[in-house]
Amino acid sequence: VPSGITVKRVNHYSTYFAVALKRMLNFNVPPVKNSTGEPVWKVLIYDRFGQDIISPLLSVKELRDMGITLHLLLHSDRDAIPDVPAVYFVMPTEENIDRMCQDLRNQLYESYYLNFISAISRSKLEDIANAAIGANAVTQVAKVFDQYLNFITLEDDMFVLCNQNKELVSYRAINRPDITDTEMETIMDTIVDSLFCFFVTLGAIPIIRCSRGTAAEMVAVKLDKKLRENLRDARNSLFTGDTLGAGQFSFQRPLLVLVDRNIDLATPLHHTWTYQALVHDVLDFHLNRVNLEESAGTESSPAGARPKKKNKKSYDLTASDKFWQKHKGSPFPEVAESVQQELESYRAQEDEVKRLKSIMGIEGEDEGAISMLSDNTAKLTSAVSSLPELLEKKRLIDLHTNVATAVLEHIKTRKLDVYFEYEEKIMSKSTLDKSLLDMISDPDAGTPEDKMRLFLIYYISSAQAPSEVDLEQYKKALMDAGCNLAPLSYIKQWK
């Protein structure tokens, strides 16, 4: 699937890729365990691609622990810091190479560690070399590495191939009727490069299976060729020697299954009912970060006053969030119930701390007070030591209360629970308790996009396409609901 790949878990793959990044940030030397020395302070320079790769794997705190005092975009205005080394992590594009050459000429940093997300071409490498010679900075370019990290790790076993320019490798891009052969080759090369990088970082050579006569077969053939060419040169193969995962999977090669999205078009259109899928569908959820707009205050503004700005809040939903890890695959009502239970548990712990505090503040010196004080000292000590855990619990409760409330608003206003149940029945060929026409015509049920998604699922899942008379009736109802009929024209032709 062009938009993402899921790999059956043999291990926590994300840890391999986090280690690969940490090694890069440590000047391509493996970090020493239990090292007590101070890290070397350095600057990290990345482009948008590099930023997307790093942000789901390493937090700002982890970067700081590795000595990254500043992390800046390559094309931003940057001041010279002549006594600090710089680690670059960028795509080897013409524009990026020009800017790096400019940095060398301007003598911005003490030394340069150049890391490329994908393999850099010989000609571009020569451009950097010429710039370094011209700037008399050859000795300052400490290392040049191809990192083969052109993919984004969202979870232990979930990866996407790109985020910037993702429209270039989307389903739509591959299936456009006016696509040229050159454009198709470019898309295939982009997908193959990302998959190749994934397996190089994993240190494993996959067994490839694909569906015939589709874009998936084109990707499979190109990837197979690239892997074989690399293995042919035993001395320079990326799958031998000191690679991160070399030898880890020598007896268990991963199976890479490449499937064309056309094999199942109904599922991506389906309204969902689990927590993570709902967040992804109805909120602004991007690289494990959800952005929410807090509703402005309800109090009325005086006449002529500017409307209050809505506050924007961002929350990271990552593997370190225990509630998210436990409940992201749960049906939404269970999530709401669990948030409530967590809140009650937190309040009980908080009340216990407050009670112990009041006991410790007892005035007077009578024996009963002193006896009670000594009994509760141990309890209070325990409560104080658990305070950081309690505060983290409170943060997660607030986070998920806000996110779940935002999801619930969408469910209520768009009747997403009704859509979910109705589509489930259509896809499982069950009896429908309400006519499809009534669903589409209901002005209170969902947005025009919701109605179109529902009808497309019906059209795709039907063993027999509706008659022309029925189709015209549906089209009229969809148009009256404000729907754009272009998706229906496409699906009709596809079917």
Side-chain angles (χ1 to χ4, degrees):
V1 184
S3 59
I5 52 171
T6 302
V7 181
K8 184 182 175 187
R9 187 186 306 178
V10 178
N11 206 316
H12 292 310
Y13 289 139
S14 61
T15 55
Y16 282 113
F17 310 136
V19 168
L21 281 175
K22 285 177 180 176
R23 180 156 73 172
M24 179 195 81
L25 296 172
N26 199 46
F27 306 127
N28 288 294
V29 176
V32 181
K33 285 183 182 177
N34 304 323
S35 171
T36 52
E38 281 288 310
V40 177
W41 301 113
K42 55 191 98 77
V43 178
L44 172 62
I45 312 294
Y46 47 42
D47 61 358
R48 292 284 180 198
F49 292 92
Q51 186 179 29
D52 290 345
I53 292 164
I54 291 170
S55 64
L57 281 174
L58 299 176
S59 65
V60 173
K61 183 190 177 301
E62 285 175 297
L63 290 176
R64 201 176 294 120
D65 291 344
M66 295 203 66
I68 305 292
T69 51
L70 273 176
H71 37 96
L72 305 162
L73 283 165
L74 177 65
H75 293 282
S76 61
D77 294 327
R78 289 175 281 117
D79 297 324
I81 314 175
D83 53 348
V84 172
V87 176
Y88 285 73
F89 185 51
V90 297
M91 285 292 274
T93 62
E94 201 73 53
E95 191 184 9
N96 285 352
I97 300 296
D98 289 346
R99 186 58 190 259
M100 290 163 83
C101 293
Q102 190 182 319
D103 288 359
L104 287 170
R105 286 191 286 270
N106 293 341
Q107 296 282 311
L108 287 191
Y109 307 108
E110 178 191 63
S111 55
Y112 302 81
Y113 294 80
L114 310 181
N115 298 278
F116 296 101
I117 296 167
S118 280
I120 186 171
S121 67
R122 174 86 187 185
S123 61
K124 286 174 182 166
L125 202 55
E126 286 170 0
D127 291 343
I128 295 173
N130 289 331
I133 291 165
N136 197 23
V138 174
T139 54
Q140 288 171 272
V141 180
K143 287 183 182 179
V144 181
F145 265 82
D146 289 333
Q147 288 294 343
Y148 293 97
L149 285 168
N150 189 15
F151 55 91
I152 297 167
T153 309
L154 296 179
E155 295 175 21
D156 282 338
D157 50 5
M158 177 67 192
F159 313 88
V160 289
L161 300 190
C162 78
N163 177 48
Q164 300 294 322
N165 307 336
K166 62 184 172 188
E167 285 306 309
L168 296 178
V169 292
S170 64
Y171 173 85
R172 181 179 176 274
I174 293 171
N175 290 278
R176 278 191 300 124
D178 58 342
I179 190 168
T180 63
D181 288 349
T182 315
E183 286 172 327
M184 191 64 154
E185 283 290 323
T186 306
I187 293 168
M188 296 298 112
D189 288 341
T190 306
I191 295 169
V192 167
D193 180 62
S194 291
L195 288 172
F196 182 74
C197 288
F198 175 85
F199 287 106
V200 167
T201 306
L202 197 63
I205 299 151
I207 296 163
I208 306 171
R209 294 286 178 266
C210 67
S211 42
R212 298 256 179 216
T214 62
E217 188 179 15
M218 290 176 70
V219 172
V221 169
K222 278 178 172 285
L223 180 60
D224 178 68
K225 187 183 175 190
K226 194 161 186 168
L227 287 165
R228 286 177 190 278
E229 282 174 357
N230 188 266
L231 288 166
R232 202 165 283 137
D233 184 354
R235 286 176 302 174
N236 295 317
S237 174
L238 295 160
F239 295 95
T240 56
D242 186 29
T243 56
L244 190 66
Q248 295 288 328
F249 299 107
S250 52
F251 297 107
Q252 189 173 358
R253 287 170 61 192
L255 177 66
L256 173 65
V257 181
L258 293 162
V259 187
D260 198 290
R261 180 73 267 172
N262 279 327
I263 203 165
D264 171 25
L265 269 184
T267 301
L269 296 166
H270 186 18
H271 287 87
T272 53
W273 198 232
T274 56
Y275 190 28
Q276 186 180 34
L278 271 167
V279 170
H280 189 271
D281 192 8
V282 303
L283 302 179
D284 177 13
F285 186 47
H286 192 62
L287 294 178
N288 294 344
R289 174 169 289 183
V290 62
N291 298 306
L292 295 181
E293 271 194 359
E294 289 189 326
S295 52
T298 50
E299 66 272 7
S300 56
S301 306
R306 284 184 180 178
K308 281 191 174 182
K309 266 191 174 180
K310 286 186 175 181
N311 291 329
K312 284 195 173 181
K313 280 208 164 186
S314 293
Y315 301 109
D316 289 321
L317 300 173
T318 60
S320 60
D321 181 338
K322 289 176 185 175
F323 186 90
W324 177 249
Q325 284 301 98
K326 188 177 178 182
H327 296 290
K328 63 185 179 184
S330 304
F332 187 72
E334 281 182 26
V335 174
E337 201 177 301
S338 298
V339 171
Q340 187 59 36
Q341 284 171 1
E342 290 283 329
L343 185 60
E344 285 167 12
S345 160
Y346 167 77
R347 281 178 179 156
Q349 284 177 277
E350 193 181 39
D351 290 345
E352 177 67 8
V353 173
K354 283 178 182 171
R355 191 181 70 79
L356 290 168
K357 270 184 178 176
S358 66
I359 290 168
M360 295 298 275
I362 289 172
E363 289 179 10
E365 294 293 322
D366 61 85
E367 283 184 17
I370 291 165
S371 161
M372 197 182 289
L373 188 69
S374 60
D375 288 345
N376 286 290
T377 302
K379 285 183 183 177
L380 187 62
T381 306
S382 170
V384 168
S385 65
S386 67
L387 269 177
E389 192 183 325
L390 203 61
L391 290 170
E392 175 62 11
K393 197 173 187 177
K394 176 72 166 71
R395 186 187 71 81
L396 291 180
I397 291 166
D398 290 345
L399 185 163
H400 288 286
T401 301
N402 292 341
V403 172
T405 303
V407 170
L408 187 61
E409 281 175 21
H410 280 274
I411 292 170
K412 282 179 177 173
T413 55
R414 291 162 58 183
K415 295 189 177 176
L416 296 182
D417 51 337
V418 179
Y419 275 95
F420 168 71
E421 285 177 21
Y422 201 89
E423 288 164 4
E424 282 282 290
K425 286 176 181 175
I426 290 173
M427 292 167 81
S428 61
K429 309 285 190 292
S430 303
T431 312
L432 302 174
D433 50 3
K434 187 177 180 182
S435 86
L436 185 63
L437 213 54
D438 288 347
M439 280 285 289
I440 295 168
S441 306
D442 184 351
D444 298 324
T447 62
E449 189 185 82
D450 291 327
K451 294 173 194 290
M452 179 51 80
R453 281 167 66 176
L454 171 67
F455 184 71
L456 291 179
I457 289 170
Y458 164 74
Y459 195 89
I460 291 165
S461 303
S462 300
Q464 205 170 353
S467 67
E468 282 302 317
V469 177
D470 288 346
L471 193 59
E472 285 306 315
Q473 205 176 358
Y474 285 126
K475 276 185 177 177
K476 185 181 182 306
L478 289 165
M479 285 174 75
D480 291 346
C483 298
N484 174 8
L485 294 185
L488 176 57
S489 306
Y490 177 82
I491 291 295
K492 193 177 174 187
Q493 189 179 356
W494 170 83
K495 188 152 179 172

